[in-house]
């Protein structure tokens, strides 16, 4: 698996734990708001940050897209 693929899994597991969600819930959320593409495209910047920053960044990304994706 690529470094980006490993990082996507890390982000899912980190987000799942932080938000007390199931893997399916996170996968559905990431698909609905296109978080997969965002994390992949920002891999170089995000993989150097900590878990709390990643969770907050994903939350901000989702919140910014809720009006658009609703």
């Amino acid at each position: 698996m690529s470094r980006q693929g490993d990082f996507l899994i890390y982000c899912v597991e980190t987000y799942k734990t932080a938000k007390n969600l199931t893997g399916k819930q996170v996968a559905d959320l990431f698909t609905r708001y296109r978080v997969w593409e965002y994390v992949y495209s920002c891999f170089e910047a995000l993989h150097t940050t900590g878990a709390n920053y990643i969770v907050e960044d994903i939350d901000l990304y989702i919140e910014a897209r809720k009006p658009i994706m609703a």
Side-chain angles (χ1 to χ4, degrees):
M1 184 174 290
S2 69
R3 289 178 17 172
Q4 291 88 345
D6 288 341
F7 184 67
L8 283 170
I9 292 168
Y10 170 77
C11 289
V12 167
E13 292 299 319
T14 300
Y15 198 82
K16 178 177 83 167
T17 301
K19 300 298 180 178
N20 198 29
L21 299 170
T22 66
K24 177 159 178 26
Q25 288 172 318
V26 174
D28 291 345
L29 187 68
F30 279 24
T31 298
R32 179 176 182 184
Y33 293 105
R34 299 185 180 139
V35 177
W36 301 112
E37 293 87 349
Y38 170 69
V39 171
Y40 189 84
S41 69
C42 295
F43 166 76
E44 289 300 327
L46 285 176
H47 88 282
T48 63
T49 65
N52 290 337
Y53 182 89
I54 291 167
V55 170
E56 290 175 18
D57 194 59
I58 291 171
D59 279 342
L60 288 171
Y61 183 83
I62 291 170
E63 285 301 316
R65 271 130 199 87
K66 278 188 177 177
I68 298 168
M69 306 299 284

